Amino acid sequence: MTKTTSPEPHQFLATPAQPTTSGAGCADVRPAPTWRRLFNEWSLTSLGLVVFCAMQILGVWELHVAGQGEAHSGLARALTLMLLAGTAVMVALVDRWRRRHFEQCAVLLQTTRMNAQLREEKGAVYQLASFDHLTGLPNRMLFTELANSHLSRTRRSHAPFVMMFLDLDRFKLINDTLGHRIGDLLLHGVGQRLIGTVREADIVARLGGDEFVVLLTELESIDDAARVANKLIEEIGSPMQIEGNELEMRPSIGIAVHPRDGLDLDALMRNADSAMYEAKRAGRGCFRFYDPSLNSRSILQADLSSRFRRAIMGDEFVLHYQPRISLNGYRITSLEALIRWQHPERGLVFPGEFIDYAEQEGLVVELGNWVLRETCRQIAAWLAEGISVVPVAINVSPKQLRDQTFVNYIREVVSDYGIPANLLEIEITERCVVEDFERPRQALEALSGLGLKIALDDYGTGFSSLSFLKRLPINVIKIDRSFISDIRNQSNDAAIVASTIALGHNLGLTVIAEGVETREQLIYLRAAGCDEVQGYYFQKPVAAAEIVEALKAGEVVR
C-alpha cells in the first residue's frame, strides 16, 4: 500500500549511496595497513629500478676488474655515475607519477562521496516534499501523483474508483483545550488507524490540518465503499488514550465515485469535499455519497449496523398479513405473514432493504425466530377472541432450515402458545435445498409430520427442479409474480403459468399465483384452473388489527 514509503520511481532517492573504489590503484576509503603503504606498486617500481641499477653497476665493475686497466677504471666510474643519475631520474619520475595518480584518486573519491551525499540529500528532500512529517502519510503532492496514476489505469480497466474525504469533527476544540502537541499525537493516531483499516492496494494521505483522503481501488461494487466508510467511522471513533487523556474523535466522510461523480481528479476531490460537508450538516460522524440517490441506502446501512439487533429486541419489527383467496367462491383460505421494520425515524421499511443484511451478519435466524413467535402469538390472540382463524404462512430462510434446533423450536413455540400446528404453514424457496438437500429434507419431513403445510415459494425463478417436488413433502407451489404481471400480453409467460398449473394438479398440489393486481389477470388465472391467488387486487398486506374484519367475514369484498 502506498502510505509511508516512496513509490518505485523514486525509491533510489531514499537509498544511501555506498562509497566505492574506482580506477586501478586508487586508495580504499578506509586507511590502508602499514605493509600496504610500504609495499605498494609504486614503491616496488622504485625498488626495481634501484635493483636494476645496482645490477648494472655490479656488471660494470666486474668488467673493470677483468680489464685491470686505468682506462677501464675511468669508464667504470663514468658508467656508474650515469646509471646512478638515470636511476635517480627514473625514481623521481615514478614518484611524480605516484603523486599525480593519488591526487586523481583523491579527486575521484571526493566526487564519489559527494554523489552519495547528494543522493542522500535528494532522498531526504523527496521525503520532506512528498510525505507528511507528522503522520508519515503521503501529502497532497504525492497523493495527486499517485491518484492520477491510478485514475489512468482505471480508465483502461473500468474498475470502480472511489474517493473519500475525511474531516475530524470538533478537532479544533481539542487543539484549543489540550494544546497542539496532543492534537498532533491525535492526528498521528488517526493516520495509523486509517492505514490499519484499509487494504494494501488503497492509498491514504493527509492533505493538511485534520483533513485526510482515502482512495479505494479495485472494488467489486459501490456498496463496498459504504461498508468501508462505516468501518472507518467505527475504527477512528473508538476512544484513543493520549498522555492520560481519553479522546474520542469521529470523522465526517464524503464519497465520490468515478466516473459518475467526475472524470478527473480535481472533479472527484471537489465533489467528495462537497459530500463531506453534507455529512457534517447531516449531524457529523457519518458519511454521504455525492450522488443523492445513494444516500438513503447509505443511511439505512448505517442504521442496520448500529441498531438492527436492538430493533429485534425492542419490538421495532411488525407483521403485516395478506390473504390468499380461493378462486372457487373467493373465500380467504390462508394468510401470509410479512415482516416490516417500523423504524422510529424512517417509517415503514420493507424486507428487501434489510433481509440481505440480516443474512450477511448471521441475524436471519434470530429474525426468523421472532417472526415465528409473533405469528404464533397473534394466532393465539385471535383464537382467544373467538375469531375463526385460517392457517398463517411464514417465510423460512435457508439458514433456519439447516439449523438443527429449528424443528424443536417450532414444536416448543407452538406448544407454548397452545395453538394447533396445522394453523402454521412454512414457505421455502428452492435456494433452501440447493446447497444442502438432506438436512432441509429431514427438517421438512419432521414439520410435515407435525401437521404443518409446506409451500414452495417463487416457483419458476430458480432451478424449478421436478425432483424437488417429487422428493420433498410439498403441499403448495406459488407461481412467482414475474410471470403474472404481463400474462395477458406475453405468450411465453402464459404458457409457463398454464403448464405449472397443470403440473401442480397432476402432482396433487395446490397452485397459488402471486402478484395479482388486475381483473384481467384474475380472469385468465381462473380460466387456466389456478386454485388460489394473492395480490393487491384483493388486499395489500395490512396490520393484524386491519385484517380482523376480513377474517370474521371469511372473504375480501371487491
Side-chain angles (χ1 to χ4, degrees):
M1 173 179 175
T2 309
K3 298 167 186 166
T4 57
T5 59
S6 302
E8 287 184 2
H10 310 286
Q11 192 69 40
F12 70 95
L13 295 176
T15 305
Q18 299 297 327
T20 57
T21 301
S22 302
C26 284
D28 200 300
V29 173
R30 295 165 296 182
T34 304
W35 67 271
R36 286 192 62 183
R37 293 200 301 271
L38 293 176
F39 299 100
N40 55 35
E41 58 267 41
W42 302 105
S43 60
L44 291 176
T45 300
S46 300
L47 180 62
L49 290 173
V50 172
V51 170
F52 176 78
C53 177
M55 293 177 64
Q56 293 300 317
I57 292 173
L58 180 62
V60 168
W61 284 103
E62 285 179 352
L63 290 173
H64 167 66
V65 171
Q68 294 292 326
E70 187 64 27
H72 288 92
S73 176
L75 180 61
R77 283 194 295 270
L79 288 175
T80 298
L81 291 175
M82 291 176 60
L83 287 172
L84 289 175
T87 300
V89 170
M90 292 299 297
V91 169
L93 289 174
V94 167
D95 183 68
R96 182 179 178 183
W97 294 337
R98 179 186 66 81
R99 291 178 182 276
R100 182 180 298 175
H101 180 75
F102 275 106
E103 288 174 357
Q104 293 175 348
C105 285
V107 171
L108 180 61
L109 180 59
Q110 184 178 5
T111 303
T112 302
R113 286 174 173 171
M114 289 179 62
N115 288 336
Q117 185 178 357
L118 284 174
R119 283 196 294 269
E120 291 177 357
E121 291 176 355
K122 287 175 68 176
V125 169
Y126 180 81
Q127 184 77 17
L128 291 174
S130 303
F131 291 88
D132 175 55
H133 72 283
L134 189 61
T135 61
L137 298 174
N139 60 14
R140 184 184 293 270
M141 183 193 75
L142 180 57
F143 173 79
T144 301
E145 177 183 345
L146 297 174
N148 278 320
S149 176
H150 277 279
L151 189 58
S152 298
R153 290 197 296 269
T154 297
R155 293 191 183 102
R156 294 191 296 268
S157 65
H158 304 289
F161 182 96
V162 175
M163 181 84 67
M164 289 186 174
F165 254 54
L166 291 85
D167 184 87
L168 302 181
D169 298 331
R170 301 182 179 89
F171 176 76
K172 185 176 183 299
L173 180 62
I174 291 179
N175 258 350
D176 293 342
T177 55
L178 300 178
H180 289 277
R181 170 177 167 75
I182 298 297
D184 290 347
L185 293 175
L186 176 62
L187 290 174
H188 181 268
V190 169
Q192 294 304 306
R193 289 187 177 185
L194 287 172
I195 292 173
T197 302
V198 298
R199 305 163 305 165
E200 289 292 324
D202 302 325
I203 300 173
V204 179
R206 181 186 175 216
L207 301 184
D210 59 341
E211 289 187 345
F212 295 84
V213 62
V214 177
L215 181 64
L216 303 180
T217 62
E218 302 175 1
L219 294 180
E220 295 183 1
S221 70
I222 297 177
D223 288 337
D224 291 336
R227 283 190 281 273
V228 172
N230 272 324
K231 189 175 181 182
L232 289 174
I233 292 173
E234 181 181 352
E235 289 294 326
I236 296 175
S238 59
M240 190 182 302
Q241 294 289 338
I242 299 179
E243 295 188 354
N245 299 290
E246 182 173 303
L247 305 179
E248 189 171 338
M249 180 65 56
R250 295 176 68 82
S252 294
I253 303 178
I255 304 174
V257 181
H258 174 274
R260 185 192 65 204
D261 301 330
L263 297 177
D264 55 35
L265 186 62
D266 289 338
L268 287 171
M269 294 181 72
R270 183 173 60 253
N271 292 336
D273 190 50
S274 299
M276 183 267 292
Y277 281 106
E278 180 62 29
K280 284 186 174 294
R281 286 191 291 269
R284 303 176 183 271
C286 60
F287 68 91
R288 288 291 182 271
F289 282 93
Y290 179 72
D291 184 358
S293 66
L294 293 181
N295 281 335
S296 59
R297 292 178 58 191
S298 303
I299 295 170
L300 178 60
Q301 289 295 319
D303 280 341
L304 290 176
S305 63
S306 63
R307 62 177 298 152
F308 192 81
R309 190 183 296 274
R310 286 183 296 158
I312 298 176
M313 304 302 296
D315 293 329
E316 291 184 11
F317 289 97
V318 296
L319 291 182
H320 283 192
Y321 299 88
Q322 187 176 38
R324 299 169 178 170
I325 308 298
S326 171
L327 292 182
N328 184 16
Y330 298 105
R331 305 287 295 179
I332 297 177
T333 59
S334 58
L335 302 174
E336 182 178 359
L338 302 167
I339 190 170
R340 305 285 189 264
W341 183 1
Q342 190 64 57
H343 196 283
E345 298 173 359
R346 292 172 50 82
L348 205 62
V349 180
F350 289 86
E353 297 187 70
F354 58 80
I355 289 297
D356 287 344
Y357 174 84
E359 290 184 347
Q360 292 173 6
E361 298 298 319
L363 298 173
V364 70
V365 172
E366 187 175 351
L367 188 62
N369 290 343
W370 180 90
V371 171
L372 173 62
R373 290 194 307 271
E374 178 60 21
T375 302
C376 292
R377 185 202 64 78
Q378 187 60 66
I379 293 174
W382 283 333
L383 290 174
E385 295 176 16
I387 299 173
S388 179
V389 180
V390 295
V392 180
I394 61 173
N395 292 277
V396 173
S397 71
K399 287 187 178 180
Q400 281 180 279
L401 206 56
R402 289 194 292 267
D403 187 350
Q404 296 179 351
T405 65
F406 180 60
V407 175
N408 288 334
Y409 187 74
I410 289 183
R411 185 184 291 112
E412 291 174 3
V413 173
V414 168
S415 176
D416 289 343
Y417 285 101
I419 64 173
N422 61 5
L423 290 180
L424 202 61
E425 187 175 305
I426 299 296
E427 286 194 10
I428 66 169
T429 63
E430 293 177 352
R431 193 163 60 95
C432 291
V433 292
V434 169
E435 296 182 1
D436 180 6
F437 182 83
E438 191 57 30
R439 275 193 298 177
R441 185 195 66 80
Q442 293 175 0
L444 293 174
E445 291 283 0
L447 293 174
S448 181
L450 294 176
L452 281 72
K453 285 187 176 181
I454 311 298
L456 183 61
D457 198 9
D458 299 336
Y459 187 77
T461 60
F463 293 94
S464 302
S465 173
L466 296 179
S467 66
F468 291 162
L469 298 178
K470 177 182 177 181
R471 299 169 62 187
L472 296 174
I474 302 296
N475 307 106
V476 178
I477 56 175
K478 301 181 70 175
I479 303 175
D480 187 71
R481 66 181 65 248
S482 61
F483 299 107
I484 306 300
S485 60
D486 204 21
I487 195 173
R488 298 287 293 177
N489 300 317
Q490 292 290 335
S491 58
N492 290 338
D493 288 350
I496 292 172
V497 170
S499 61
T500 302
I501 293 172
L503 173 65
H505 288 167
N506 289 334
L507 295 175
L509 306 177
T510 300
V511 181
I512 302 176
E514 294 183 292
V516 177
E517 299 180 353
T518 67
R519 181 178 178 82
E520 289 75 17
Q521 293 170 348
L522 179 67
I523 293 173
Y524 181 90
L525 291 168
R526 185 174 184 182
C530 188
D531 299 307
E532 300 176 14
V533 294
Q534 177 182 347
Y536 278 30
Y537 180 75
F538 286 100
Q539 177 73 67
K540 67 178 182 179
V542 293
E546 299 180 50
I547 203 68
V548 169
E549 293 302 321
L551 287 176
K552 290 179 179 179
E555 62 183 6
V556 177
V557 180
R558 285 292 301 169

